[in-house]
Amino acid sequence: MPLETLLAWIPPGSPDEALARQVDGERLPVHIAIIMDGNGRWAARRHLPRVEGHRAGIDSVRDTVETAARLGIGVLTLWAFSVDNWKRPRGEVNTLMRLLKRYLRLELGTLMTHNIRFRVIGRADELASDVQRELSAAEARTAGNTGMLFNIALNYGGRAEIIEAVRRAMAAGVTPESLDEQRFSEFLYTAGQPDPDLLIRTSGEMRLSNFLLWQIAYSEIWVTDTFWPDFRRRHLLEAILAFQKRDRRYGGIKAPAAVALGVK
Ligand code: IPE
Ligand code: IPE
Ligand code: MG
């Protein structure tokens, strides 16, 4: 059914339609996380200031969110700002925050239409108060939605998240004996959410840059050379198709061999 919702939105006979028809609706990744990278280089190629790359990247966010929601993806996590991105020039950081506020204002309607729940993961309390207000308003407004969960990772760092989780666990009185992986994950920003099945990074960089270090233990990684502002529904579908060809073993043995051996 969700595949139909997606197909209804894609021009018939287009290459995107052909891609969408190859997707196995029964084996979709439940959680997709994306490192949106390459905005600066996209702009530099066009002799534009870096911030123009960030501006253009908004259209990619729109397209990706709508495609994922229509496909019936459970959780979509987009990384928009890292704890290390404060090292950038003040003007660039300010523009990113302004663009974020504008995105929220313009897209709230779309989030509601598609029944999307919006959440921030990261140290939101260190963001400017006007940004925090806008984020909280979007979270509150979409809190009752029951469709896709859309996490935006803002002022996010994987190590910072783990340290924070340890502190919270200690404050909650968790004893060393009672701590296990399941219990620990309840203190992460992503408490209660499934781990990403698919991690996408744009712009060809083969590194994690401190993203979701705990949660991506067994994520399938897909990297495209495409810069984020050029990323569209087609690329998301390509990533999902590549994911569906992967053989996830979690340390076990190949699935067909397991079947042959009668391993359940
Ligand atoms: C990703 O693009 C956006 C953010 C990190 C906020 P970049 O701004 O990192 O672009 P490049 O990697 O310099 O090309
Ligand atoms: C990671 O990209 C952060 C986001 C996408 C928000 P960066 O561009 O900051 O990472 P590095 O510096 O290339 O590792
Ligand atoms: Mg970058």
Side-chain angles (χ1 to χ4, degrees):
M1 192 56 189
L3 208 51
E4 298 307 314
T5 314
L6 178 68
L7 285 167
W9 181 55
I10 299 181
S14 66
D16 287 17
E17 190 206 5
L19 279 175
R21 289 200 181 278
Q22 290 173 51
V23 171
D24 179 350
E26 302 295 312
R27 290 176 49 243
L28 288 170
V30 175
H31 182 169
I32 301 178
I34 308 184
I35 303 176
M36 308 186 286
D37 198 13
N39 295 354
R41 279 162 286 165
W42 180 93
R45 288 256 174 107
R46 288 159 179 77
H47 308 287
L48 293 168
R50 291 178 56 83
V51 293
E52 290 307 317
H54 299 318
R55 214 183 301 282
I58 302 275
D59 288 338
S60 313
V61 172
R62 268 197 208 106
D63 206 54
T64 303
V65 169
E66 185 157 357
T67 305
R70 283 178 178 267
L71 248 181
I73 299 300
V75 187
L76 176 70
T77 301
L78 300 184
W79 197 11
F81 195 83
S82 83
V83 289
D84 296 309
N85 290 148
W86 297 107
K87 294 172 192 161
R88 298 183 178 205
R90 173 119 57 122
E92 182 175 340
V93 171
N94 288 345
T95 303
L96 279 165
M97 296 300 159
R98 252 201 327 273
L99 287 170
L100 171 68
K101 284 201 295 180
R102 201 169 69 191
Y103 169 81
L104 289 173
R105 237 173 274 147
L106 292 176
E107 290 303 299
L108 204 53
T110 314
L111 300 183
M112 296 307 291
T113 305
H114 292 284
N115 195 20
I116 297 167
R117 188 155 51 99
F118 175 81
R119 274 214 43 206
V120 181
I121 61 169
R123 288 185 174 161
D125 57 329
E126 289 175 0
L127 299 171
S129 53
D130 57 327
V131 178
Q132 286 191 46
R133 261 198 310 278
E134 209 80 47
L135 291 166
S136 302
E139 283 184 331
R141 185 76 200 287
T142 62
N145 288 349
T146 53
M148 184 176 83
L149 172 61
F150 169 21
N151 292 314
I152 187 146
L154 272 176
N155 196 18
Y156 176 87
R159 288 183 175 180
E161 178 183 27
I162 290 170
I163 295 286
E164 244 184 71
V166 171
R167 289 202 181 119
R168 277 197 229 123
M170 289 168 99
V174 174
T175 58
E177 302 73 40
S178 66
L179 187 66
D180 59 18
E181 293 180 9
Q182 179 56 40
R183 185 93 176 87
F184 183 72
S185 68
E186 288 162 19
F187 293 96
L188 296 168
Y189 302 134
T190 51
Q193 303 180 20
D195 289 336
D197 301 292
L198 173 60
L199 172 72
I200 297 174
R201 184 164 188 155
T202 57
S203 85
E205 303 293 1
M206 299 284 186
R207 57 176 170 266
L208 299 173
S209 303
N210 195 19
F211 191 42
L212 298 176
L213 296 179
W214 174 278
Q215 297 89 336
I216 56 166
Y218 275 102
S219 305
E220 293 295 328
I221 301 174
W222 189 81
V223 175
T224 173
D225 285 335
T226 303
F227 293 136
W228 178 252
D230 290 327
F231 191 92
R232 287 292 180 275
R233 144 179 99 197
R234 167 169 77 82
H235 303 94
L236 186 66
L237 293 171
E238 282 170 2
I240 291 170
L241 288 170
F243 167 84
Q244 294 189 329
K245 292 198 181 85
R246 301 278 178 93
D247 175 26
R248 301 183 83 185
R249 292 198 287 275
Y250 301 98
I253 55 175
K254 254 173 99 73
V259 170
L261 289 168
V263 178
K264 287 261 158 53

